[in-house]
Amino acid sequence: MEQSKELHRHWRAAVDYTRGRSPATFDRWFSRIQFDDLTDGVLSLRATDLFVRDWVCDHYLPSIVEHLRQATGLSIQIAWTVGGVERPVASEPAEAEPAKKRAVRASPKRPPAPAAPPAPAVVAAAPSLPPAPEGLNPKYTFGNFVVGPSKQLAHAAALAAAGGGGRRYSPLFLCGGTGLGKTHLLQAIAHQVLARDPHKRIAYVSAERFTNEFIAAIQHKKMDEFRRRYRAECDLLLVDDVQFLAGREQTQEEFFHTFNALHALEKPIVFTSDTYPQRLERMEERLISRFTWGLVADVQVPELETRVAIVRKKAEVEGVWLEDEVAMLLAQSVRSNVRELEGTLIRLAAKASLLGRPVDLAFARQEIAVVQASRPAVTNVDEIQRAVCHHFQLRSADLLSKDRHKGIALARHVAMYLCKQRLRVSFPELGRAFCKDHTTVISAVRKVTALRESDPQVRAHLDAIERRLTGSG
Ligand code: ADP
Ligand code: MG
């Protein structure tokens, strides 16, 4: 029993690892795969049909096999069975079910069948290189970033910060609304710098994580190590979402000294923020002033032509074939936020692939019409609270209660985050709407922003609720 749990854990870790590096359609494919067994290096899998088996073989197995090989120390052979998958998913997987759970279904052991594609070769990192920064999305490169007039300055400045020529400003402060490509640009700098010189020591961190690491360092008396990482042993500091330092006085103080130390050593620093430095709330004046020492570049909502180009680029990256008219239709239909634009494309592609049809204009029109017809313009906190309650199957009283039960707290934090993202409301207003102090709301929004990046389950919850809010669920 213990052993089977252990094997299952290996499988799950390999799937999660691979999902993190794969297109967003990953879960749609994996919902049609079943894990049967892993004994003596034989991985027994089941697929709903040959098509799914071949696709998964070609696209995802090498990474999974490699991960399993490292975890178990065995060379891995695959035994496929086609058919007999328990509860195969007919159309879209249930929204409320988190992605992680969907991907894996255990079942009793079966004897392995023949057929075994060889395991792929391993690429080991040279030991002398510094560890690669955590949390980088391999797709967030300059190559995958579409530059339109709305982002020219930010893009050029980011390229220069990565050593790509042009005057290098430090600090570079990238700011603008949500889902407009700030994190993408920030990570592109890291990728580019590492591609040029893998010995460069890059600290890539969200302000949220910086805060948590700082607190942990104090607790465990590891301030020396913390300071080494962000000062002495850092060639480039990239800080995402600095607005989340709001109200954290001690972290701001530490951050101030980090900044000064790096600046004195002429190490480049890049920040992103959801607003201009001068508009940052509850931020020390001296930090705000430093944020503006170099260059402040904003990213704006892209214009139509750029949105079309972004859709095409995303389709290319995700391996989706799109007619030009479909790219245009999408770009016309989703205007304000690139993340939503991308989400719509991916849903369309996933649905088409499950139905076994191309993403042609007729299909896209029909899907987008459904979205738009039912799109309720979300205008108030109530509506978001209702959508969140519906998703998590809670009563609205739970959301406003003092209950700290984990599930309820998550739902509450998610609701606060969505309100802040989608409505023009201040933290104190939100505090009142949730019967909480405004600092609670600030910390909830911070938490969910960080989780959205790091936790696939939270991302699945948010996607599902956002679909409901935009009427496409
Ligand atoms: P922000 O950090 O500003 O909230 P992100 O960098 O997370 O936004 O971008 C949201 C999504 O939109 C990402 O998947 C990103 O790749 C994509 N995106 C935004 N702008 C562009 C662009 N100009 N070209 C390509 N993709 C973009
Ligand atoms: Mg971001």
PDB file of all heavy atoms in Angstrom, residues 135 204-212 240-241 243-244 248 339 417 421 442-456 458-459 462:
ATOM      1  N   GLY A 135      11.032  29.843 -10.999  1.00  0.00           N
ATOM      2  CA  GLY A 135       9.759  30.464 -11.371  1.00  0.00           C
ATOM      3  C   GLY A 135       9.752  31.110 -12.740  1.00  0.00           C
ATOM      4  O   GLY A 135       8.838  31.864 -13.053  1.00  0.00           O
ATOM      5  N   TYR A 204      15.456  36.664  -9.416  1.00  0.00           N
ATOM      6  CA  TYR A 204      14.127  36.988  -9.936  1.00  0.00           C
ATOM      7  C   TYR A 204      13.133  36.660  -8.836  1.00  0.00           C
ATOM      8  O   TYR A 204      13.046  35.531  -8.373  1.00  0.00           O
ATOM      9  CB  TYR A 204      13.830  36.144 -11.186  1.00  0.00           C
ATOM     10  CG  TYR A 204      12.377  36.156 -11.580  1.00  0.00           C
ATOM     11  CD1 TYR A 204      11.830  37.246 -12.254  1.00  0.00           C
ATOM     12  CD2 TYR A 204      11.536  35.106 -11.235  1.00  0.00           C
ATOM     13  CE1 TYR A 204      10.489  37.275 -12.585  1.00  0.00           C
ATOM     14  CE2 TYR A 204      10.189  35.123 -11.565  1.00  0.00           C
ATOM     15  CZ  TYR A 204       9.678  36.211 -12.244  1.00  0.00           C
ATOM     16  OH  TYR A 204       8.359  36.240 -12.561  1.00  0.00           O
ATOM     17  N   VAL A 205      12.385  37.651  -8.413  1.00  0.00           N
ATOM     18  CA  VAL A 205      11.550  37.434  -7.227  1.00  0.00           C
ATOM     19  C   VAL A 205      10.336  38.356  -7.283  1.00  0.00           C
ATOM     20  O   VAL A 205      10.419  39.473  -7.784  1.00  0.00           O
ATOM     21  CB  VAL A 205      12.407  37.688  -5.955  1.00  0.00           C
ATOM     22  CG1 VAL A 205      12.757  39.155  -5.803  1.00  0.00           C
ATOM     23  CG2 VAL A 205      11.749  37.171  -4.697  1.00  0.00           C
ATOM     24  N   SER A 206       9.211  37.868  -6.815  1.00  0.00           N
ATOM     25  CA  SER A 206       8.078  38.777  -6.666  1.00  0.00           C
ATOM     26  C   SER A 206       8.251  39.491  -5.336  1.00  0.00           C
ATOM     27  O   SER A 206       8.919  38.967  -4.435  1.00  0.00           O
ATOM     28  CB  SER A 206       6.766  37.992  -6.668  1.00  0.00           C
ATOM     29  OG  SER A 206       6.734  37.145  -5.546  1.00  0.00           O
ATOM     30  N   ALA A 207       7.665  40.674  -5.227  1.00  0.00           N
ATOM     31  CA  ALA A 207       7.784  41.416  -3.976  1.00  0.00           C
ATOM     32  C   ALA A 207       7.197  40.583  -2.839  1.00  0.00           C
ATOM     33  O   ALA A 207       7.674  40.621  -1.697  1.00  0.00           O
ATOM     34  CB  ALA A 207       7.061  42.755  -4.084  1.00  0.00           C
ATOM     35  N   GLU A 208       6.182  39.811  -3.177  1.00  0.00           N
ATOM     36  CA  GLU A 208       5.563  38.935  -2.190  1.00  0.00           C
ATOM     37  C   GLU A 208       6.566  37.907  -1.663  1.00  0.00           C
ATOM     38  O   GLU A 208       6.703  37.706  -0.467  1.00  0.00           O
ATOM     39  CB  GLU A 208       4.369  38.231  -2.862  1.00  0.00           C
ATOM     40  CG  GLU A 208       3.667  37.211  -2.027  1.00  0.00           C
ATOM     41  CD  GLU A 208       2.941  37.831  -0.861  1.00  0.00           C
ATOM     42  OE1 GLU A 208       2.853  39.064  -0.786  1.00  0.00           O
ATOM     43  OE2 GLU A 208       2.474  37.060  -0.005  1.00  0.00           O
ATOM     44  N   ARG A 209       7.287  37.294  -2.594  1.00  0.00           N
ATOM     45  CA  ARG A 209       8.239  36.268  -2.155  1.00  0.00           C
ATOM     46  C   ARG A 209       9.418  36.898  -1.425  1.00  0.00           C
ATOM     47  O   ARG A 209       9.912  36.348  -0.444  1.00  0.00           O
ATOM     48  CB  ARG A 209       8.734  35.449  -3.345  1.00  0.00           C
ATOM     49  CG  ARG A 209       9.141  34.046  -2.899  1.00  0.00           C
ATOM     50  CD  ARG A 209       9.556  33.168  -4.055  1.00  0.00           C
ATOM     51  NE  ARG A 209      10.978  33.301  -4.316  1.00  0.00           N
ATOM     52  CZ  ARG A 209      11.528  33.086  -5.509  1.00  0.00           C
ATOM     53  NH1 ARG A 209      10.768  32.756  -6.534  1.00  0.00           N
ATOM     54  NH2 ARG A 209      12.815  33.228  -5.676  1.00  0.00           N
ATOM     55  N   PHE A 210       9.843  38.053  -1.902  1.00  0.00           N
ATOM     56  CA  PHE A 210      10.916  38.761  -1.207  1.00  0.00           C
ATOM     57  C   PHE A 210      10.518  38.976   0.255  1.00  0.00           C
ATOM     58  O   PHE A 210      11.291  38.739   1.173  1.00  0.00           O
ATOM     59  CB  PHE A 210      11.180  40.105  -1.899  1.00  0.00           C
ATOM     60  CG  PHE A 210      12.338  40.874  -1.328  1.00  0.00           C
ATOM     61  CD1 PHE A 210      13.623  40.684  -1.825  1.00  0.00           C
ATOM     62  CD2 PHE A 210      12.143  41.792  -0.304  1.00  0.00           C
ATOM     63  CE1 PHE A 210      14.697  41.396  -1.300  1.00  0.00           C
ATOM     64  CE2 PHE A 210      13.205  42.503   0.231  1.00  0.00           C
ATOM     65  CZ  PHE A 210      14.488  42.314  -0.270  1.00  0.00           C
ATOM     66  N   THR A 211       9.277  39.416   0.456  1.00  0.00           N
ATOM     67  CA  THR A 211       8.788  39.642   1.814  1.00  0.00           C
ATOM     68  C   THR A 211       8.819  38.350   2.629  1.00  0.00           C
ATOM     69  O   THR A 211       9.306  38.328   3.757  1.00  0.00           O
ATOM     70  CB  THR A 211       7.334  40.167   1.767  1.00  0.00           C
ATOM     71  OG1 THR A 211       7.302  41.299   0.916  1.00  0.00           O
ATOM     72  CG2 THR A 211       6.833  40.535   3.136  1.00  0.00           C
ATOM     73  N   ASN A 212       8.294  37.276   2.044  1.00  0.00           N
ATOM     74  CA  ASN A 212       8.243  36.015   2.787  1.00  0.00           C
ATOM     75  C   ASN A 212       9.635  35.488   3.114  1.00  0.00           C
ATOM     76  O   ASN A 212       9.877  35.007   4.215  1.00  0.00           O
ATOM     77  CB  ASN A 212       7.474  34.957   1.985  1.00  0.00           C
ATOM     78  CG  ASN A 212       6.009  35.325   1.879  1.00  0.00           C
ATOM     79  OD1 ASN A 212       5.490  36.091   2.697  1.00  0.00           O
ATOM     80  ND2 ASN A 212       5.354  34.820   0.862  1.00  0.00           N
ATOM     81  N   ASP A 240       9.182  41.550  -9.365  1.00  0.00           N
ATOM     82  CA  ASP A 240       7.854  41.635  -9.964  1.00  0.00           C
ATOM     83  C   ASP A 240       6.843  42.148  -8.939  1.00  0.00           C
ATOM     84  O   ASP A 240       6.914  41.778  -7.766  1.00  0.00           O
ATOM     85  CB  ASP A 240       7.446  40.224 -10.435  1.00  0.00           C
ATOM     86  CG  ASP A 240       6.465  40.270 -11.601  1.00  0.00           C
ATOM     87  OD1 ASP A 240       6.147  41.377 -12.075  1.00  0.00           O
ATOM     88  OD2 ASP A 240       6.020  39.194 -12.037  1.00  0.00           O
ATOM     89  N   ASP A 241       5.945  42.996  -9.388  1.00  0.00           N
ATOM     90  CA  ASP A 241       4.823  43.467  -8.562  1.00  0.00           C
ATOM     91  C   ASP A 241       5.269  44.159  -7.265  1.00  0.00           C
ATOM     92  O   ASP A 241       4.837  43.776  -6.168  1.00  0.00           O
ATOM     93  CB  ASP A 241       3.883  42.293  -8.225  1.00  0.00           C
ATOM     94  CG  ASP A 241       3.095  41.836  -9.443  1.00  0.00           C
ATOM     95  OD1 ASP A 241       2.702  42.698 -10.245  1.00  0.00           O
ATOM     96  OD2 ASP A 241       2.878  40.621  -9.598  1.00  0.00           O
ATOM     97  N   GLN A 243       4.276  46.723  -6.055  1.00  0.00           N
ATOM     98  CA  GLN A 243       3.186  47.344  -5.291  1.00  0.00           C
ATOM     99  C   GLN A 243       2.852  46.542  -4.030  1.00  0.00           C
ATOM    100  O   GLN A 243       2.295  47.048  -3.081  1.00  0.00           O
ATOM    101  CB  GLN A 243       1.935  47.527  -6.159  1.00  0.00           C
ATOM    102  CG  GLN A 243       1.150  46.269  -6.490  1.00  0.00           C
ATOM    103  CD  GLN A 243       1.659  45.541  -7.749  1.00  0.00           C
ATOM    104  OE1 GLN A 243       2.695  45.890  -8.292  1.00  0.00           O
ATOM    105  NE2 GLN A 243       0.922  44.551  -8.196  1.00  0.00           N
ATOM    106  N   PHE A 244       3.232  45.256  -4.034  1.00  0.00           N
ATOM    107  CA  PHE A 244       2.909  44.420  -2.882  1.00  0.00           C
ATOM    108  C   PHE A 244       3.810  44.656  -1.677  1.00  0.00           C
ATOM    109  O   PHE A 244       3.644  44.019  -0.644  1.00  0.00           O
ATOM    110  CB  PHE A 244       2.922  42.947  -3.274  1.00  0.00           C
ATOM    111  CG  PHE A 244       1.746  42.596  -4.122  1.00  0.00           C
ATOM    112  CD1 PHE A 244       1.878  41.754  -5.202  1.00  0.00           C
ATOM    113  CD2 PHE A 244       0.501  43.132  -3.847  1.00  0.00           C
ATOM    114  CE1 PHE A 244       0.796  41.438  -5.998  1.00  0.00           C
ATOM    115  CE2 PHE A 244      -0.593  42.827  -4.628  1.00  0.00           C
ATOM    116  CZ  PHE A 244      -0.449  41.978  -5.710  1.00  0.00           C
ATOM    117  N   ARG A 248       4.417  47.357   4.185  1.00  0.00           N
ATOM    118  CA  ARG A 248       5.335  46.447   4.889  1.00  0.00           C
ATOM    119  C   ARG A 248       6.604  47.210   5.206  1.00  0.00           C
ATOM    120  O   ARG A 248       7.585  47.166   4.443  1.00  0.00           O
ATOM    121  CB  ARG A 248       5.631  45.240   4.031  1.00  0.00           C
ATOM    122  CG  ARG A 248       4.354  44.566   3.636  1.00  0.00           C
ATOM    123  CD  ARG A 248       4.598  43.157   3.197  1.00  0.00           C
ATOM    124  NE  ARG A 248       3.452  42.349   3.537  1.00  0.00           N
ATOM    125  CZ  ARG A 248       3.163  41.188   2.963  1.00  0.00           C
ATOM    126  NH1 ARG A 248       3.947  40.710   2.039  1.00  0.00           N
ATOM    127  NH2 ARG A 248       2.116  40.521   3.338  1.00  0.00           N
ATOM    128  N   ARG A 339      -4.062  38.649 -21.271  1.00  0.00           N
ATOM    129  CA  ARG A 339      -4.240  37.349 -20.626  1.00  0.00           C
ATOM    130  C   ARG A 339      -5.588  36.756 -21.015  1.00  0.00           C
ATOM    131  O   ARG A 339      -5.700  35.562 -21.286  1.00  0.00           O
ATOM    132  CB  ARG A 339      -4.121  37.494 -19.111  1.00  0.00           C
ATOM    133  CG  ARG A 339      -4.095  36.145 -18.405  1.00  0.00           C
ATOM    134  CD  ARG A 339      -3.944  36.274 -16.904  1.00  0.00           C
ATOM    135  NE  ARG A 339      -2.620  36.635 -16.500  1.00  0.00           N
ATOM    136  CZ  ARG A 339      -2.340  37.653 -15.704  1.00  0.00           C
ATOM    137  NH1 ARG A 339      -3.305  38.408 -15.233  1.00  0.00           N
ATOM    138  NH2 ARG A 339      -1.103  37.916 -15.382  1.00  0.00           N
ATOM    139  N   TYR A 417      -9.402  39.142  -4.471  1.00  0.00           N
ATOM    140  CA  TYR A 417      -8.479  39.325  -5.602  1.00  0.00           C
ATOM    141  C   TYR A 417      -9.243  39.685  -6.870  1.00  0.00           C
ATOM    142  O   TYR A 417      -8.895  40.628  -7.574  1.00  0.00           O
ATOM    143  CB  TYR A 417      -7.685  38.028  -5.789  1.00  0.00           C
ATOM    144  CG  TYR A 417      -6.911  37.934  -7.092  1.00  0.00           C
ATOM    145  CD1 TYR A 417      -5.619  38.441  -7.192  1.00  0.00           C
ATOM    146  CD2 TYR A 417      -7.464  37.319  -8.216  1.00  0.00           C
ATOM    147  CE1 TYR A 417      -4.902  38.348  -8.377  1.00  0.00           C
ATOM    148  CE2 TYR A 417      -6.758  37.215  -9.406  1.00  0.00           C
ATOM    149  CZ  TYR A 417      -5.475  37.735  -9.482  1.00  0.00           C
ATOM    150  OH  TYR A 417      -4.778  37.642 -10.655  1.00  0.00           O
ATOM    151  N   GLN A 421      -9.059  43.054  -9.136  1.00  0.00           N
ATOM    152  CA  GLN A 421      -8.653  42.970 -10.540  1.00  0.00           C
ATOM    153  C   GLN A 421      -9.679  43.582 -11.480  1.00  0.00           C
ATOM    154  O   GLN A 421      -9.336  44.199 -12.463  1.00  0.00           O
ATOM    155  CB  GLN A 421      -8.490  41.501 -10.942  1.00  0.00           C
ATOM    156  CG  GLN A 421      -7.358  40.788 -10.278  1.00  0.00           C
ATOM    157  CD  GLN A 421      -6.081  40.991 -11.046  1.00  0.00           C
ATOM    158  OE1 GLN A 421      -6.017  40.690 -12.227  1.00  0.00           O
ATOM    159  NE2 GLN A 421      -5.079  41.527 -10.399  1.00  0.00           N
ATOM    160  N   ILE A 442      -5.566  43.639   1.398  1.00  0.00           N
ATOM    161  CA  ILE A 442      -4.271  43.796   0.716  1.00  0.00           C
ATOM    162  C   ILE A 442      -3.499  42.487   0.758  1.00  0.00           C
ATOM    163  O   ILE A 442      -2.975  42.015  -0.249  1.00  0.00           O
ATOM    164  CB  ILE A 442      -3.431  44.920   1.377  1.00  0.00           C
ATOM    165  CG1 ILE A 442      -4.113  46.266   1.176  1.00  0.00           C
ATOM    166  CG2 ILE A 442      -2.008  44.942   0.798  1.00  0.00           C
ATOM    167  CD1 ILE A 442      -3.416  47.425   1.859  1.00  0.00           C
ATOM    168  N   SER A 443      -3.483  41.876   1.925  1.00  0.00           N
ATOM    169  CA  SER A 443      -2.662  40.662   2.010  1.00  0.00           C
ATOM    170  C   SER A 443      -3.303  39.520   1.224  1.00  0.00           C
ATOM    171  O   SER A 443      -2.601  38.690   0.642  1.00  0.00           O
ATOM    172  CB  SER A 443      -2.360  40.322   3.471  1.00  0.00           C
ATOM    173  OG  SER A 443      -3.177  39.302   3.921  1.00  0.00           O
ATOM    174  N   ALA A 444      -4.643  39.489   1.162  1.00  0.00           N
ATOM    175  CA  ALA A 444      -5.309  38.445   0.364  1.00  0.00           C
ATOM    176  C   ALA A 444      -4.972  38.607  -1.116  1.00  0.00           C
ATOM    177  O   ALA A 444      -4.657  37.633  -1.812  1.00  0.00           O
ATOM    178  CB  ALA A 444      -6.819  38.511   0.571  1.00  0.00           C
ATOM    179  N   VAL A 445      -5.007  39.835  -1.598  1.00  0.00           N
ATOM    180  CA  VAL A 445      -4.743  40.073  -3.018  1.00  0.00           C
ATOM    181  C   VAL A 445      -3.300  39.684  -3.353  1.00  0.00           C
ATOM    182  O   VAL A 445      -3.011  39.057  -4.368  1.00  0.00           O
ATOM    183  CB  VAL A 445      -5.008  41.552  -3.377  1.00  0.00           C
ATOM    184  CG1 VAL A 445      -4.570  41.860  -4.805  1.00  0.00           C
ATOM    185  CG2 VAL A 445      -6.487  41.870  -3.195  1.00  0.00           C
ATOM    186  N   ARG A 446      -2.390  40.035  -2.455  1.00  0.00           N
ATOM    187  CA  ARG A 446      -0.997  39.635  -2.617  1.00  0.00           C
ATOM    188  C   ARG A 446      -0.855  38.131  -2.721  1.00  0.00           C
ATOM    189  O   ARG A 446      -0.179  37.602  -3.580  1.00  0.00           O
ATOM    190  CB  ARG A 446      -0.239  40.020  -1.338  1.00  0.00           C
ATOM    191  CG  ARG A 446       0.426  41.324  -1.393  1.00  0.00           C
ATOM    192  CD  ARG A 446       1.264  41.425  -0.117  1.00  0.00           C
ATOM    193  NE  ARG A 446       1.462  42.811   0.182  1.00  0.00           N
ATOM    194  CZ  ARG A 446       1.282  43.363   1.370  1.00  0.00           C
ATOM    195  NH1 ARG A 446       0.871  42.621   2.390  1.00  0.00           N
ATOM    196  NH2 ARG A 446       1.492  44.624   1.545  1.00  0.00           N
ATOM    197  N   LYS A 447      -1.503  37.457  -1.774  1.00  0.00           N
ATOM    198  CA  LYS A 447      -1.367  36.005  -1.711  1.00  0.00           C
ATOM    199  C   LYS A 447      -1.837  35.362  -3.004  1.00  0.00           C
ATOM    200  O   LYS A 447      -1.160  34.522  -3.589  1.00  0.00           O
ATOM    201  CB  LYS A 447      -2.234  35.480  -0.560  1.00  0.00           C
ATOM    202  CG  LYS A 447      -1.434  34.766   0.488  1.00  0.00           C
ATOM    203  CD  LYS A 447      -2.347  34.167   1.534  1.00  0.00           C
ATOM    204  CE  LYS A 447      -2.005  34.741   2.898  1.00  0.00           C
ATOM    205  NZ  LYS A 447      -3.034  34.661   3.883  1.00  0.00           N
ATOM    206  N   VAL A 448      -3.038  35.777  -3.447  1.00  0.00           N
ATOM    207  CA  VAL A 448      -3.603  35.127  -4.633  1.00  0.00           C
ATOM    208  C   VAL A 448      -2.779  35.461  -5.871  1.00  0.00           C
ATOM    209  O   VAL A 448      -2.587  34.612  -6.741  1.00  0.00           O
ATOM    210  CB  VAL A 448      -5.088  35.515  -4.807  1.00  0.00           C
ATOM    211  CG1 VAL A 448      -5.658  34.898  -6.067  1.00  0.00           C
ATOM    212  CG2 VAL A 448      -5.881  35.061  -3.590  1.00  0.00           C
ATOM    213  N   THR A 449      -2.249  36.675  -5.936  1.00  0.00           N
ATOM    214  CA  THR A 449      -1.401  37.023  -7.085  1.00  0.00           C
ATOM    215  C   THR A 449      -0.199  36.083  -7.157  1.00  0.00           C
ATOM    216  O   THR A 449       0.162  35.593  -8.225  1.00  0.00           O
ATOM    217  CB  THR A 449      -0.906  38.473  -6.969  1.00  0.00           C
ATOM    218  OG1 THR A 449      -2.035  39.309  -6.793  1.00  0.00           O
ATOM    219  CG2 THR A 449      -0.138  38.902  -8.213  1.00  0.00           C
ATOM    220  N   ALA A 450       0.400  35.818  -6.001  1.00  0.00           N
ATOM    221  CA  ALA A 450       1.562  34.919  -5.988  1.00  0.00           C
ATOM    222  C   ALA A 450       1.133  33.491  -6.313  1.00  0.00           C
ATOM    223  O   ALA A 450       1.797  32.795  -7.078  1.00  0.00           O
ATOM    224  CB  ALA A 450       2.242  34.981  -4.627  1.00  0.00           C
ATOM    225  N   LEU A 451       0.005  33.065  -5.743  1.00  0.00           N
ATOM    226  CA  LEU A 451      -0.451  31.688  -5.980  1.00  0.00           C
ATOM    227  C   LEU A 451      -0.811  31.464  -7.437  1.00  0.00           C
ATOM    228  O   LEU A 451      -0.628  30.385  -7.976  1.00  0.00           O
ATOM    229  CB  LEU A 451      -1.665  31.367  -5.095  1.00  0.00           C
ATOM    230  CG  LEU A 451      -1.347  31.151  -3.616  1.00  0.00           C
ATOM    231  CD1 LEU A 451      -2.631  30.996  -2.818  1.00  0.00           C
ATOM    232  CD2 LEU A 451      -0.460  29.936  -3.422  1.00  0.00           C
ATOM    233  N   ARG A 452      -1.344  32.517  -8.054  1.00  0.00           N
ATOM    234  CA  ARG A 452      -1.724  32.368  -9.459  1.00  0.00           C
ATOM    235  C   ARG A 452      -0.509  31.933 -10.281  1.00  0.00           C
ATOM    236  O   ARG A 452      -0.609  31.153 -11.214  1.00  0.00           O
ATOM    237  CB  ARG A 452      -2.279  33.695  -9.983  1.00  0.00           C
ATOM    238  CG  ARG A 452      -2.456  33.710 -11.467  1.00  0.00           C
ATOM    239  CD  ARG A 452      -3.374  34.808 -11.954  1.00  0.00           C
ATOM    240  NE  ARG A 452      -4.244  34.224 -12.948  1.00  0.00           N
ATOM    241  CZ  ARG A 452      -5.457  34.620 -13.251  1.00  0.00           C
ATOM    242  NH1 ARG A 452      -5.983  35.617 -12.619  1.00  0.00           N
ATOM    243  NH2 ARG A 452      -6.159  34.016 -14.152  1.00  0.00           N
ATOM    244  N   GLU A 453       0.654  32.455  -9.918  1.00  0.00           N
ATOM    245  CA  GLU A 453       1.868  32.098 -10.646  1.00  0.00           C
ATOM    246  C   GLU A 453       2.365  30.708 -10.255  1.00  0.00           C
ATOM    247  O   GLU A 453       2.881  29.972 -11.088  1.00  0.00           O
ATOM    248  CB  GLU A 453       2.993  33.110 -10.360  1.00  0.00           C
ATOM    249  CG  GLU A 453       2.682  34.538 -10.750  1.00  0.00           C
ATOM    250  CD  GLU A 453       2.663  34.744 -12.266  1.00  0.00           C
ATOM    251  OE1 GLU A 453       3.319  33.990 -12.979  1.00  0.00           O
ATOM    252  OE2 GLU A 453       1.958  35.677 -12.719  1.00  0.00           O
ATOM    253  N   SER A 454       2.221  30.370  -8.964  1.00  0.00           N
ATOM    254  CA  SER A 454       2.952  29.184  -8.494  1.00  0.00           C
ATOM    255  C   SER A 454       2.093  27.928  -8.331  1.00  0.00           C
ATOM    256  O   SER A 454       2.629  26.837  -8.301  1.00  0.00           O
ATOM    257  CB  SER A 454       3.608  29.511  -7.148  1.00  0.00           C
ATOM    258  OG  SER A 454       2.607  29.751  -6.178  1.00  0.00           O
ATOM    259  N   ASP A 455       0.787  28.067  -8.206  1.00  0.00           N
ATOM    260  CA  ASP A 455      -0.016  26.905  -7.850  1.00  0.00           C
ATOM    261  C   ASP A 455      -1.050  26.596  -8.941  1.00  0.00           C
ATOM    262  O   ASP A 455      -2.001  27.349  -9.138  1.00  0.00           O
ATOM    263  CB  ASP A 455      -0.731  27.213  -6.514  1.00  0.00           C
ATOM    264  CG  ASP A 455      -1.502  26.005  -6.007  1.00  0.00           C
ATOM    265  OD1 ASP A 455      -1.891  25.153  -6.834  1.00  0.00           O
ATOM    266  OD2 ASP A 455      -1.716  25.920  -4.791  1.00  0.00           O
ATOM    267  N   PRO A 456      -0.867  25.471  -9.642  1.00  0.00           N
ATOM    268  CA  PRO A 456      -1.782  25.158 -10.751  1.00  0.00           C
ATOM    269  C   PRO A 456      -3.238  24.998 -10.292  1.00  0.00           C
ATOM    270  O   PRO A 456      -4.160  25.293 -11.055  1.00  0.00           O
ATOM    271  CB  PRO A 456      -1.267  23.823 -11.283  1.00  0.00           C
ATOM    272  CG  PRO A 456       0.043  23.576 -10.646  1.00  0.00           C
ATOM    273  CD  PRO A 456       0.185  24.470  -9.477  1.00  0.00           C
ATOM    274  N   VAL A 458      -4.802  26.687  -7.875  1.00  0.00           N
ATOM    275  CA  VAL A 458      -5.385  28.021  -7.718  1.00  0.00           C
ATOM    276  C   VAL A 458      -5.644  28.630  -9.092  1.00  0.00           C
ATOM    277  O   VAL A 458      -6.673  29.253  -9.345  1.00  0.00           O
ATOM    278  CB  VAL A 458      -4.467  28.925  -6.864  1.00  0.00           C
ATOM    279  CG1 VAL A 458      -4.936  30.361  -6.896  1.00  0.00           C
ATOM    280  CG2 VAL A 458      -4.409  28.404  -5.447  1.00  0.00           C
ATOM    281  N   ARG A 459      -4.697  28.396 -10.009  1.00  0.00           N
ATOM    282  CA  ARG A 459      -4.874  28.919 -11.359  1.00  0.00           C
ATOM    283  C   ARG A 459      -6.137  28.321 -11.990  1.00  0.00           C
ATOM    284  O   ARG A 459      -6.913  29.010 -12.631  1.00  0.00           O
ATOM    285  CB  ARG A 459      -3.641  28.572 -12.191  1.00  0.00           C
ATOM    286  CG  ARG A 459      -3.434  29.469 -13.350  1.00  0.00           C
ATOM    287  CD  ARG A 459      -1.981  29.585 -13.758  1.00  0.00           C
ATOM    288  NE  ARG A 459      -1.333  28.313 -13.956  1.00  0.00           N
ATOM    289  CZ  ARG A 459      -0.129  28.009 -13.463  1.00  0.00           C
ATOM    290  NH1 ARG A 459       0.529  28.881 -12.751  1.00  0.00           N
ATOM    291  NH2 ARG A 459       0.405  26.834 -13.687  1.00  0.00           N
ATOM    292  N   LEU A 462      -9.186  30.042 -10.538  1.00  0.00           N
ATOM    293  CA  LEU A 462      -9.356  31.399 -11.069  1.00  0.00           C
ATOM    294  C   LEU A 462      -9.859  31.353 -12.513  1.00  0.00           C
ATOM    295  O   LEU A 462     -10.769  32.101 -12.883  1.00  0.00           O
ATOM    296  CB  LEU A 462      -8.032  32.165 -11.007  1.00  0.00           C
ATOM    297  CG  LEU A 462      -7.608  32.603  -9.604  1.00  0.00           C
ATOM    298  CD1 LEU A 462      -6.170  33.087  -9.602  1.00  0.00           C
ATOM    299  CD2 LEU A 462      -8.527  33.703  -9.079  1.00  0.00           C
TER     300      LEU A 462
END
